[in-house]
Amino acid sequence: MADKHYTLSQEEIQLLCQNAVEQGIKSFNDMRKREEKKKRKQNDKVELTKKKLKEYRAVKLKVSEREFTDAEIPELRFNALEDLMGQITSSDDRTERKIESRLNKQVADTLEIKNIDRAYEEYKEGCEKWGSEEDQRRCRVIYLMYMDNDVYSVSEIAERENIAERTVFRDCSIGAAKLSAYLYGF
């Protein structure tokens, strides 16, 4: 096969160069948008993790207070229906939906607490195996700040860990970011 040679005018060369530059800029902008979207998604995960950590104790308390056994669920439904005897059927349906909603919320909350506990244990194991002393401290700070049964102030945590109060906040942010990877994936 013979090599083909093309003759291009200066105008055609400029047009080719302009198209190549436009394609390069478009590709670069597309890549930057994908990276920004990925970063926003990661930031959303971290913010959601922080929110869940802040609500952890309250949700755990609610779950422990309203645990129903399998035997109690039919009894709850029967009592609710018994209270509404003589009222219209749609009220019974609403009551049944309320009970179902409460049960679904309990299951969701219980699952959320179990997921956070599992993720924290995995994070803790990772810090103990591969982490530095700083990583291990961040793990402890997360636990003390959000998950321990006892509630500690920032100054108490700082004193306990022998760090500055602002370091407690920084450890919470960095620790929450690492914990979010265990909750939602890397």
Side-chain angles (χ1 to χ4, degrees):
M1 244 177 142
D3 289 335
K4 292 186 179 180
H5 296 282
Y6 296 97
T7 306
L8 299 174
S9 67
Q10 189 64 29
E11 197 175 284
E12 290 171 324
I13 292 173
Q14 285 178 341
L15 186 60
L16 281 173
C17 289
Q18 183 180 352
N19 285 338
V21 168
E22 287 173 1
Q23 286 298 318
I25 290 172
K26 184 181 182 306
S27 294
F28 177 77
N29 286 336
D30 290 346
M31 181 185 69
R32 189 170 23 157
K33 285 178 186 175
R34 283 191 305 273
E35 287 174 1
E36 287 172 0
K37 184 177 178 182
K38 184 178 177 182
K39 190 173 183 176
R40 273 195 314 273
K41 188 175 181 182
Q42 183 62 32
N43 287 341
D44 290 347
K45 289 178 183 178
V46 172
E47 290 306 313
L48 185 58
T49 300
K50 288 179 182 178
K51 181 179 182 238
K52 285 184 176 193
L53 284 171
K54 288 176 184 173
E55 297 170 350
Y56 178 85
R57 285 187 183 110
V59 172
K60 190 172 184 176
L61 181 63
K62 272 197 302 186
V63 165
S64 68
E65 287 177 350
R66 67 172 178 200
E67 238 176 89
F68 302 115
T69 64
D70 289 340
E72 291 175 311
I73 293 169
E75 187 177 328
L76 277 171
R77 288 187 169 137
F78 179 76
N79 290 341
L81 291 174
E82 194 175 57
D83 288 344
L84 293 170
M85 291 293 257
Q87 294 185 11
I88 57 173
T89 308
S90 63
S91 293
D92 295 345
D93 291 341
R94 283 194 301 254
T95 303
E96 183 66 22
R97 283 194 302 270
K98 279 183 183 179
I99 292 169
E100 195 67 34
S101 175
R102 284 181 56 204
L103 291 172
N104 289 340
K105 178 68 172 148
Q106 179 181 345
V107 168
D109 287 348
T110 302
L111 183 60
E112 183 174 309
I113 291 298
K114 285 181 181 180
N115 282 338
I116 292 171
D117 288 342
R118 176 202 46 81
Y120 177 78
E121 286 304 317
E122 290 174 1
Y123 173 47
K124 182 179 174 184
E125 285 176 25
C127 287
E128 289 170 354
K129 285 182 183 177
W130 308 292
S132 64
E133 180 56 40
E134 190 176 42
D135 290 328
Q136 293 173 25
R137 183 193 69 224
R138 288 178 180 141
C139 186
R140 290 190 306 268
V141 167
I142 287 286
Y143 186 80
L144 292 171
M145 188 74 160
Y146 301 111
M147 300 174 75
D148 196 297
N149 291 333
D150 298 325
V151 178
Y152 296 97
S153 69
V154 173
S155 59
E156 289 171 327
I157 295 170
E159 185 178 321
R160 186 174 179 158
E161 291 294 328
N162 198 25
I163 55 177
E165 288 183 19
R166 69 178 188 266
T167 305
V168 172
F169 291 111
R170 187 172 38 243
D171 283 357
C172 284
S173 289
I174 294 169
K178 291 186 177 196
L179 184 61
S180 73
Y182 289 93
L183 271 173
Y184 303 110
F186 296 89

